[in-house]
Amino acid sequence: MAARSVDNRKAPMPQKILVLFAHPAYRRSRSNRALRAAVEALDGVTFHDLYETYPDFAVDVDREQALLAEHDVIVCLHPFFWYSAPALVKEWLDLVLEHGWAYGHEGRQLEGKRWLQAVTVGGRQAAYSPAGHHRYTVEELLRPFEATVSLCRMTWLPPFVLHATHVADASALDDAAARFAARLSDLVAETT
Ligand SMILES: Cc1cc2nc3c(=O)[nH]c(=O)nc-3n(C[C@H](O)[C@H](O)[C@H](O)COP(=O)(O)O)c2cc1C
């Protein structure tokens, strides 16, 4: 009888992505609107609009922790505000990433998950350099997020950055939206 070969390689499991979206003036948004439209309906993506859910900043910690637990990759999508994120992102971090749950000796609920910061930035890339107007790269300015992610034993992925939003025309936004959708599709397929 001919021996049957058994293929022991497992197909990669599709990864579940949670997009935490924060924009306090979404009605006036162009860049985040384009990025949102490109990924909101993708298979494997849960899109969670924080300002829509918590206009009063009363973040439901249990609900947010349950959402985090159900997903493999967390994407934090927001406009760059004062070299950081809109205020509700900070409130969300302060409340949801509890000691003993997200970090600390017993806090291992986020261990092994991956985190992608996705930011739209008014300034041009050249201005975000040691010799440039803003002196630091966006990646450097995102270090407090990177350190937070690392403290929670998650993996920090190279950020997605859309620069020069003030001058981005429709084709630049289309381009960025396509790049963002491709990045998230790759993450669902676990190829990045
Ligand atoms: C309160 C506030 C702070 C901002 N801070 C920065 C900043 O530090 N650096 C920067 O390049 N752009 C900054 N911007 C510009 C926004 O990043 C930009 O308008 C946004 O990313 C565009 O996205 P949208 O079309 O989705 O609103 C700021 C805008 C606002 C309203």
Side-chain angles (χ1 to χ4, degrees):
M1 195 167 55
R4 271 196 313 174
S5 72
V6 178
D7 188 350
N8 284 324
R9 286 171 305 179
K10 283 198 188 139
M13 284 282 289
Q15 300 284 286
K16 292 175 75 179
I17 298 190
L18 175 65
V19 181
L20 300 172
F21 175 57
H23 197 312
Y26 185 61
R27 278 182 305 112
R28 293 200 294 271
S29 164
R30 292 173 64 240
S31 302
N32 284 274
R33 185 179 299 279
L35 299 183
R36 176 182 190 154
V39 303
E40 195 163 17
L42 285 180
D43 271 352
V45 170
T46 306
F47 198 90
H48 184 30
D49 185 333
L50 293 178
Y51 274 91
E52 185 183 74
T53 312
Y54 304 117
D56 51 4
F57 276 49
V59 175
D60 180 339
V61 173
D62 290 343
R63 176 185 179 185
E64 296 303 310
Q65 289 181 347
L67 269 172
L68 289 172
E70 284 165 18
H71 292 83
D72 309 296
V73 184
I74 317 304
V75 176
C76 186
L77 169 65
H78 60 84
F80 210 39
F81 276 11
W82 288 111
Y83 306 115
S84 184
L88 185 51
V89 173
K90 182 63 165 53
E91 182 74 353
W92 184 97
L93 292 169
D94 291 353
L95 295 175
V96 177
L97 302 185
E98 286 179 321
H99 180 259
W101 188 85
Y103 72 101
H105 190 62
E106 312 268 300
R108 292 176 171 266
Q109 300 302 314
L110 299 173
E111 189 165 12
K113 295 183 190 294
R114 292 180 292 165
W115 182 286
L116 173 67
Q117 204 82 22
V119 291
T120 65
V121 179
R124 294 172 195 270
Q125 184 161 12
Y128 280 91
S129 65
H133 186 61
H134 299 289
R135 300 181 51 203
Y136 303 100
T137 66
V138 171
E139 286 75 10
E140 286 169 333
L141 293 163
L142 290 174
R143 288 266 158 80
F145 292 98
E146 182 175 355
T148 301
V149 163
S150 160
L151 189 75
C152 296
R153 299 185 171 91
M154 291 185 277
T155 301
W156 175 256
L157 299 171
F160 178 92
V161 184
L162 167 57
H163 273 286
T165 59
H166 294 325
V167 293
D169 60 13
S171 101
L173 293 181
D174 283 352
D175 222 56
R179 276 195 299 122
F180 189 48
R183 184 87 193 270
L184 264 56
S185 297
D186 284 350
L187 286 169
V188 170
E190 216 186 6
T191 58
T192 54

